[in-house]
């Protein structure tokens, strides 16, 4: 079955530092989604990437989809305490059957 | 907007008991999903549905059953609960291969 691996598992940063999480798939993905889950909350959709080499930005968040469509990254510039949570990538095995990565838990120290 | 509603929010079951986790959405989404999330872990797909009357297995379907008689509802049935089913269960829905909306989750403990 499809595997979507995410690294690192945990990241502790000082407020103001940058943060990056990486997602790697064993197979080519038609698209990839990113979600954020606050502690005790439910996953909330952030963005979807579809095109090879695509880069999208949301304020301090930058999302990239690899040229081979097998990897993706999420980069946060100048983290804030509101960025705390777990970030998941999700890739489809078949249409609408999304498999989630293991997630990267981000802790931001004020 | 209600979005995706899950009930109950919390439940404690004894080993061998059965229960149904309810999930309903008011967005007229065709696609619905059940995931489980063990402590500190990612989400594992249990079952999904692409429309009323159509369901299929995900990664971890053993010990669970689902039905989809209407577009709105997608209940998850646990038969003969086991401690390994202690987890947080999330229901989600989407209109196409795009943004999935998640419910608040059901925290289940089997003792």
């Amino acid at each position: 079955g499809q595997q979507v691996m995410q690294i690192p598992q945990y990241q502790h940063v000082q407020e103001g530092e940058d943060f990056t999480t990486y997602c790697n798939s064993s197979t080519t993905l038609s698209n990839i989604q990113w979600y954020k889950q606050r502690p005790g909350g439910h996953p909330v959709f952030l963005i979807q990437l579809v095109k090879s080499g695509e880069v999208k930005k949301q304020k301090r968040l930058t999302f990239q989809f690899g040229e081979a469509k097998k990897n993706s990254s999420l980069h946060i510039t100048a983290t804030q305490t509101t960025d705390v949570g777990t970030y998941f990538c999700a890739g489809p095995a078949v249409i609408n059957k999304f498999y989630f990565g293991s997630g990267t838990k981000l802790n931001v120290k004020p | 907007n209600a979005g995706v509603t899950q009930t109950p929010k919390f439940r404690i079951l004894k080993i061998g008991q059965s229960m149904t986790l309810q999930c309903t959405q008011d967005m007229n989404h065709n696609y619905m999903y059940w995931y489980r999330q063990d402590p500190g872990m990612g989400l594992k797909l249990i079952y999904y549905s692409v429309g009323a009357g159509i369901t299929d297995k995900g990664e971890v379907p053993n010990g669970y059953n689902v039905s989809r008689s209407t577009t709105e509802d997608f209940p998850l049935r646990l038969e003969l609960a086991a401690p390994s089913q202690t987890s947080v269960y999330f229901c989600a829905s989407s209109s196409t291969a795009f943004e999935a909306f998640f419910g608040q989750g059901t925290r289940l403990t089997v003792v």
Side-chain angles (χ1 to χ4, degrees):
Chain A
Q2 177 176 335
Q3 294 256 342
V4 179
M5 310 300 292
Q6 239 181 299
I7 55 170
Q9 190 174 3
Y10 301 98
Q11 187 81 55
H12 301 272
V13 300
Q14 199 72 37
E15 190 172 23
E17 291 181 337
D18 292 357
F19 159 77
T20 305
T21 175
Y22 300 90
C23 185
N24 296 293
S25 170
S26 56
T27 59
T28 301
L29 300 170
S30 58
N31 63 76
I32 194 162
Q33 298 181 354
W34 285 92
Y35 290 79
K36 177 183 178 182
Q37 184 178 27
R38 294 183 186 275
H42 60 280
V44 175
F45 175 83
L46 293 176
I47 208 160
Q48 177 169 278
L49 304 172
V50 178
K51 299 176 184 176
S52 169
E54 189 170 15
V55 178
K56 287 188 176 180
K57 293 190 175 185
Q58 290 179 350
K59 296 182 180 178
R60 296 178 294 104
L61 278 61
T62 301
F63 303 85
Q64 290 189 325
F65 202 9
E67 294 290 339
K69 301 182 76 173
K70 285 187 173 183
N71 56 74
S72 182
S73 66
L74 158 59
H75 179 82
I76 302 178
T77 303
T79 55
Q80 300 176 357
T81 54
T82 53
D83 296 325
V84 165
T86 302
Y87 293 85
F88 293 99
C89 61
V94 295
I95 291 177
N96 286 90
K97 190 176 177 179
F98 282 89
Y99 290 107
F100 279 73
S102 51
T104 296
K105 188 173 182 179
L106 173 64
N107 187 38
V108 180
K109 290 177 284 188
Chain B
N1 290 339
V4 179
T5 302
Q6 289 184 240
T7 57
K9 288 186 171 53
F10 303 93
R11 183 71 185 268
I12 298 175
L13 275 183
K14 293 185 178 179
I15 294 171
Q17 286 185 323
S18 301
M19 76 163 294
T20 299
L21 281 67
Q22 302 292 344
C23 175
T24 186
Q25 52 94 5
D26 63 359
M27 296 173 282
N28 202 33
H29 286 167
N30 285 329
Y31 303 95
M32 295 189 75
Y33 318 83
W34 275 106
Y35 291 90
R36 61 174 286 173
Q37 185 176 35
D38 297 334
M41 304 294 284
L43 295 100
K44 295 292 186 183
L45 182 64
I46 305 171
Y47 271 95
Y48 71 106
S49 169
V50 300
I54 306 170
T55 63
D56 202 355
K57 297 177 181 179
E59 303 169 88
V60 290
N62 292 342
Y64 307 94
N65 278 299
V66 293
S67 60
R68 184 94 183 271
S69 57
T70 66
T71 299
E72 294 78 20
D73 300 307
F74 191 40
L76 177 71
R77 178 83 177 161
L78 278 73
E79 304 282 1
L80 300 174
S84 61
Q85 293 177 304
T86 293
S87 191
V88 179
Y89 291 83
F90 288 103
C91 178
S93 73
S94 68
S95 59
T96 60
F98 198 61
E99 176 179 2
F101 293 84
F102 282 79
Q104 300 292 321
T106 295
R107 189 174 298 273
L108 176 68
T109 302
V110 182
V111 296

